[in-house]
């Protein structure tokens, strides 16, 4: 066989990626693809989604996203995947989307959910109680409560497992790209703006498994175990006369006032002061305990209940069929855009280059310009106010009676 260039490229080319879902919200047809739940919250509590290019948009004016538009509301929305994702296929699961808190967010969720449910999924009822496979993305409330949620459903435990150590999040007004990868080798990785911010084994960062070792229940700390590191010196003795030292003495620097009258005022006594020689109740000095054995360590044994779960990654054991947002926002204005669910990180990165990265620098530039303009306006307003005040002072100063 001749080694042709075509054959060579075929070997090098990665297997074609599958895209399960892609949404850029640029056309008006998004309303047909997505469903706002009618049966989750009373209509008065549900906020409207706006379809907008937003402020300081680095793309073209028809490059729009969807935006939460009313303060202190719940937001619900879901859409079916173009193709269900099944963990049984043993493929990487990649979820990526962009979030822009244009409003200077103080409190609000901005995470996306990947949903199982198949034919049973009820988009009218979709809300906070709907089971999910993955919950991923920013959640912010105040300056101390900020994180990128990574919550995975364990089918073995039938529980939603939060990542144990917080993943930071971005809370400025610019767009940021959030990417989660879950791999069939039971590892995961989180990227923000294409930078890896967390990666590891699922078993290390989530409570998928019981501990491998437990404290031996048969063993306990021996009664005669010495864990006092320091003890009072048994050879130390109280110096003679120690207890005779008074805690207070008459002030040697005080003297009887000249106008003191012994007859009227009684016999003069100097005021009392703390005795500098008084050292408090006697205590023997402390020494290292010669019998100290160190802290007792409970011997560990293999946990008889430990079993390895090779299917931690299988969040879509029951096929995942939808993506959705169900959020609460105190201050609205978050824009979501450029969602992709695929089995290839490269595919997601490629999509990011065509979307997020294409707009990023221009967006920053427009944002900085707008900020500068606002600062200049504020400065001009302050100066005008100062001038007014000075004029007023001149007027007052001249107003003499
Ligand atoms: C995203 O990261 C990958 C490496 O993980 C890199 O190859 C790619 O160039 C990055 N994309 C951008 C636009 O920075």
């Amino acid at each position: 066989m001749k080694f042709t260039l075509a054959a060579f490229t075929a070997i090098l080319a990665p297997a074609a990626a599958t895209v399960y879902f892609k949404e850029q919200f640029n056309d008006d047809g998004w309303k047909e693809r997505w469903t706002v739940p009618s049966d989750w919250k009373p209509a008065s509590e549900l906020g409207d989604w706006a379809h907008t290019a937003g402020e300081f948009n680095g793309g073209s004016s028809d490059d729009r996203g969807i935006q939460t538009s009313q303060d202190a509301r719940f937001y619900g929305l879901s859409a079916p995947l173009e193709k269900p994702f099944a963990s049984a296929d043993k493929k990487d699961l990649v979820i990526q989307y962009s979030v822009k808190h244009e409003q200077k967010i103080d409190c609000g969720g901005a995470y996306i959910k990947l949903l199982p449910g198949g034919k049973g999924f009820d988009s009218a009822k979709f809300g906070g109680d709907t089971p999910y496979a993955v919950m991923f993305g920013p959640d912010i409330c105040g300056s101390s409560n900020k994180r990128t949620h990574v919550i995975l459903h364990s089918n073995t435990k039938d529980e939603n497992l939060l990542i144990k150590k917080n993943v930071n999040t971005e809370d400025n007004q610019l767009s940021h790209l959030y990417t989660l990868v879950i791999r069939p080798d039971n590892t995961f990785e989180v990227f923000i703006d294409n930078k890896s911010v967390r990666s590891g084994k699922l078993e290390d960062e989530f409570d998928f498994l019981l501990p491998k070792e437990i404290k031996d229940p048969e063993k306990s700390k021996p009664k005669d175990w010495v864990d006092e590191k320091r003890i009072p010196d048994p050879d130390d003795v109280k110096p003679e006369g120690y207890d005779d030292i008074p805690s207070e003495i008459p002030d040697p620097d005080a003297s009887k006032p000249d106008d003191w009258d012994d007859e009227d005022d009684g016999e003069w006594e100097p005021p009392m002061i703390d005795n500098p020689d008084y050292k408090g109740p006697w205590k023997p000095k402390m020494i290292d305990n010669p019998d100290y054995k160190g802290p007792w360590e409970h011997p560990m044994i293999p946990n008889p209940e430990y079993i390895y779960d090779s299917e931690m990654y299988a969040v879509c054991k029951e096929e995942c069929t939808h993506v959705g947002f169900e959020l609460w926002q105190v201050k609205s204005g978050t824009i979501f855009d450029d969602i992709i669910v695929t089995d290839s990180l490269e595919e997601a990165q490629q999509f990011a280059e065509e979307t997020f990265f294409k707009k990023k620098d221009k967006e920053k530039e427009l944002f900085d310009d707008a900020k500068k303009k606002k600062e200049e306006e504020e400065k001009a307003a302050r100066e005008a106010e100062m001038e007014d005040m000075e004029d007023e002072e001149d007027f007052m100063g001249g107003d003499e009676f």
Side-chain angles (χ1 to χ4, degrees), residues 28-92:
D28 288 321
W30 75 276
K31 282 207 155 167
E32 270 79 70
R33 297 188 291 272
W34 293 80
T35 308
V36 173
S38 52
D39 211 4
W40 173 39
K41 297 274 175 195
S44 60
E45 294 177 22
L46 267 192
D48 287 334
W49 292 96
H51 187 215
T52 174
E55 292 175 66
F56 42 91
N57 184 330
S60 60
S61 60
D62 59 356
D63 189 336
R64 287 169 288 180
I66 53 161
Q67 183 177 36
T68 57
S69 72
Q70 292 165 287
D71 291 350
R73 296 289 166 95
F74 290 98
Y75 288 88
L77 202 60
S78 70
L81 301 183
E82 285 139 38
K83 188 175 179 236
F85 181 92
S87 296
D89 295 339
K90 290 191 184 289
K91 289 177 163 188
D92 290 358

Side-chain angles (χ1 to χ4, degrees), residues 191 194 349 353 357:
F191 300 83
N194 199 39
Q349 284 171 335
E353 267 177 52
F357 281 106

Side-chain angles (χ1 to χ4, degrees), residues 240-269:
E240 218 164 304
Y242 187 94
D243 290 340
D244 301 335
I245 302 169
S247 64
E248 291 190 325
I249 51 165
D251 185 353
D253 295 334
S255 55
K256 183 156 130 183
D258 292 341
D259 57 356
W260 189 273
D261 183 335
D262 280 356
E263 245 155 58
D264 279 0
D265 301 330
E267 195 184 325
W268 181 79
E269 273 174 30

Side-chain angles (χ1 to χ4, degrees), residues 340-383:
I340 186 168
V341 180
T342 174
D343 58 0
S344 155
L345 178 60
E346 288 73 27
E347 181 75 22
Q349 284 171 335
Q350 180 63 39
F351 181 58
E353 267 177 52
E354 293 158 16
T355 54
F356 174 78
F357 281 106
K358 223 163 136 186
K359 306 178 238 179
K360 185 172 167 278
D361 294 343
K362 182 77 186 161
E363 179 189 278
K364 176 85 169 72
E365 205 178 291
L366 292 172
F367 176 76
D368 288 344
D369 285 352
K371 199 171 149 195
K372 213 169 124 195
K373 198 167 156 230
K374 198 169 163 225
E375 280 167 5
E376 279 166 7
E377 278 168 10
E378 280 168 3
K379 196 174 156 220
R382 267 201 310 277
E383 280 168 3

